[in-house]
Amino acid sequence: MKFIRADLDKLKAYTANPGGEAKIATDQLDANESPYDLPGDLKIKLAWLYQNEIETNRYPDGSHSQLKAEISNYVNEYPNTNISPDQISVGNGSDELIRSILIATCLGREGSILVANPTFSMYGIIAQTLAIPVVTVGRETSNFAVNLVEAQKAIEAVQYPPIRVVFMVHPNSPTANSLTTAELDWLRGLPEDILVVVDEAYFEFSQTSVVSELAQHPNWIILRTFSKAFRLAAHRLGYAIAIPEVITALEKIRLPYNLPTFSQTAGLFALKHRPEILSSIPETLQEREKLYQALVAQSTLQVWESTGNFIYLRPKYGNSTQILQALKQKGTIIRQTGGGFRITVGTPRQNQRTIEHLQAIL
């Protein structure tokens, strides 16, 4: 069809495991979600809010004012941090915010982006859908730190369009490594005409953030989400933190009423009840260590340490696709990406079954 851009034929859409597979799987460990739904009593309270306080014939609050205020209070619990509501932009998942960032910076051949693979693929996918060039560099094989020599050469290269945005994940997905001191120093030294996006989707598990440095770096944006530790993946709620001038630009691009009323209500509700909702994190961290030690004990696997709620590994022998399919037949779904496997840390029983299944297959 000639009215569709020809370059879209070359693009590969982001794909997750089909919903049908997820429903029949015993252990769905492919999407880095929390293995736990909201506690039953909290779901009842949230349902009550929908029934009694939400008018479905009314548009959502397009300003997100109450939600932004509560998010800023939560963000400010991190030491030496003072973020105001006008430094928050809320999106329909982090994906919408990534898209707004790209439109605000690179659209119309204004710029290109830099990513270090393997990493979250949506940065490149969204950029390509907007006809924005993607410059890629590699990572060190030992710890998946960014190859900073390559990255600096890419920044300094004479090219059109110039690199306008650098995307970093802290900790990275799928490899689960946090930014090193050298990587952070490199980001701090980038010129202010380059936007640095630090994606902290897994902050609640790593407890390491650069949010306290925003005042010193007006060219930084931090992305976070309610889809992981807050257990609200179904509600598609993400947020960006930056100086007010950057947030103003994102707000100009954001679609009106982009976040449904129920999602905003769920976000406010989760923040109000965060001690109970986030109480599962210590168990996840304990289970991550147990899962890591069990995987390391398998001589046929190369396993990397994690600061997220997932573990990255690569089989030393055998066919990765066959291993993936064999696990699926046993009811365990994991993610094949970046030349290896990403396994979400599940419940204790899910993790034990995953270990047993892998041992049997290998």
Side-chain angles (χ1 to χ4, degrees), residues 133-202:
V134 180
V135 179
T136 61
V137 297
R139 292 178 178 269
E140 307 297 339
T141 56
S142 58
N143 62 357
F144 291 108
V146 176
N147 186 322
L148 295 179
V149 174
E150 280 187 33
Q152 187 61 32
K153 286 182 179 178
I155 293 292
E156 295 173 355
V158 178
Q159 57 186 351
Y160 182 81
I163 291 173
R164 277 279 186 86
V165 185
V166 174
F167 283 97
M168 293 288 169
V169 197
H170 183 47
N172 186 48
S173 178
T175 54
N177 56 299
S178 292
L179 290 169
T180 64
T181 300
E183 289 171 305
L184 288 169
D185 285 343
W186 181 75
L187 293 175
R188 295 177 184 120
L190 289 175
E192 290 193 357
D193 58 354
I194 293 177
L195 179 66
V196 174
V197 180
V198 181
D199 193 334
E200 295 185 350
Y202 305 98

Side-chain angles (χ1 to χ4, degrees), residues 42-108:
L42 293 188
K43 289 191 78 173
I44 291 172
K45 292 178 181 178
L46 185 57
W48 185 92
L49 290 174
Y50 181 83
Q51 186 173 18
N52 292 277
E53 294 193 1
I54 293 178
E55 297 177 279
T56 60
N57 60 311
R58 303 298 181 190
Y59 283 112
D61 173 13
S63 70
H64 312 140
S65 56
Q66 188 178 358
L67 182 56
K68 289 179 180 180
E70 292 303 320
I71 288 173
S72 68
N73 289 336
Y74 169 63
V75 171
N76 288 337
E77 292 179 358
Y78 196 77
N80 304 313
T81 302
N82 184 23
I83 298 298
S84 59
D86 64 351
Q87 291 181 257
I88 305 287
S89 183
V90 185
N92 195 291
S94 296
D95 297 333
E96 182 190 15
L97 293 163
I98 293 166
R99 190 172 184 272
S100 293
I101 289 168
L102 292 174
I103 292 173
T105 56
C106 299
L107 197 64

Side-chain angles (χ1 to χ4, degrees), residues 286-301:
Q286 292 173 2
E287 285 296 309
R288 181 185 70 191
E289 180 61 20
K290 289 167 58 177
L291 181 60
Y292 172 77
Q293 294 298 338
L295 293 171
V296 167
Q298 298 295 308
S299 60
T300 56
L301 297 175

